[in-house]
Amino acid sequence: MYLEAKETARLYKLLSDKLGNETTEAMFKYIDNKTERSVEATIKTLATKEDLAKVKHDLSKDISASVKWMFIFWVSQLAVMLSIVFLILKK
């Protein structure tokens, strides 16, 4: 952090010597505002723990429903296969 402040002060001095204090100040304010807006926009797109918990809960409900329907399908397939086998063995 200290090194960053030192570099910023050096950059400010170099720019103010070339461009003037007023222009350099305006440029630094513009960069600060732009960076702050960018960070705020990035933070808005991040998922929170609550978002992740909700997604996990929804997925678990979907998975349990899928397993239930797969089980029903397997049982009905087994019943059909056994019926066919019994019909073939009866003849």
Side-chain angles (χ1 to χ4, degrees):
M1 189 76 156
Y2 172 73
L3 187 59
E4 183 180 310
K6 190 175 179 180
E7 290 172 351
T8 304
R10 182 173 173 256
L11 179 62
Y12 184 86
K13 182 176 179 341
L14 288 171
L15 287 174
S16 63
D17 289 345
K18 297 253 185 207
L19 302 175
N21 284 338
E22 197 172 303
T23 306
T24 304
E25 187 70 31
M27 191 167 70
F28 268 77
K29 283 182 182 178
Y30 173 77
I31 291 170
D32 284 344
N33 288 338
K34 197 76 165 164
T35 304
E36 189 174 319
R37 281 192 218 120
S38 175
V39 168
E40 287 174 0
T42 302
I43 287 173
K44 287 179 183 176
T45 62
L46 294 176
T48 63
K49 287 182 180 180
E50 294 162 352
D51 295 335
L52 295 176
K54 184 177 183 247
V55 168
K56 185 178 178 182
H57 177 71
D58 292 346
L59 281 176
S60 67
K61 284 182 8 182
D62 291 346
I63 289 172
S64 64
S66 296
V67 169
K68 177 183 77 172
W69 284 108
M70 284 191 296
F71 182 74
I72 291 170
F73 174 76
W74 292 331
V75 167
S76 61
Q77 285 291 82
L78 181 63
V80 169
M81 290 300 292
L82 288 175
S83 306
I84 292 171
V85 169
F86 285 134
L87 284 174
I88 290 173
L89 291 177
K90 253 188 176 180
K91 289 186 178 185

